[in-house]
Amino acid sequence: STYHGGGEEEGDEEEGGEGEQESEGPVTEAEGLRLHLSSRSSSGYKGVRQATNSDRFEARYTNSGTRSTNRYLGNFDSAVEAAVAYARAIGEAEDDDEEDEGGE
């Protein structure tokens, strides 16, 4: 039989080291913005998908108002960065909608 180490060392490994990963869920807020979570997206974020044949993430914003638009927001190194870009686009669109309603 092979010896696999003492109990104290195994306990340290199970704890995850320095405790840097306290939360295993997706990031819900970044850069002061609320990120839009999606259980249907493999990235975990609405408007974010993994780019084809790449380890980068693509963000797109679709406005389904009177004139439907599909706006490419860019490729990002992480899903969270792409989700921040999406949250910014949503915020800008909501600001534009409020200005349009107020002017009439």
Side-chain angles (χ1 to χ4, degrees), residues 42-90:
S42 61
S43 71
Y45 298 99
K46 187 173 181 181
V48 176
R49 69 182 182 119
Q50 188 152 6
T52 307
N53 299 323
S54 174
D55 57 354
R56 293 175 56 95
F57 293 85
E58 180 181 284
R60 287 186 178 271
Y61 164 67
T62 302
N63 181 356
S64 58
T66 53
R67 283 186 270 159
S68 183
T69 58
N70 187 0
R71 189 170 135 205
Y72 172 76
L73 302 173
N75 279 325
F76 302 88
D77 290 330
S78 73
V80 172
E81 288 177 53
V84 167
Y86 180 84
R88 280 198 182 107
I90 291 291

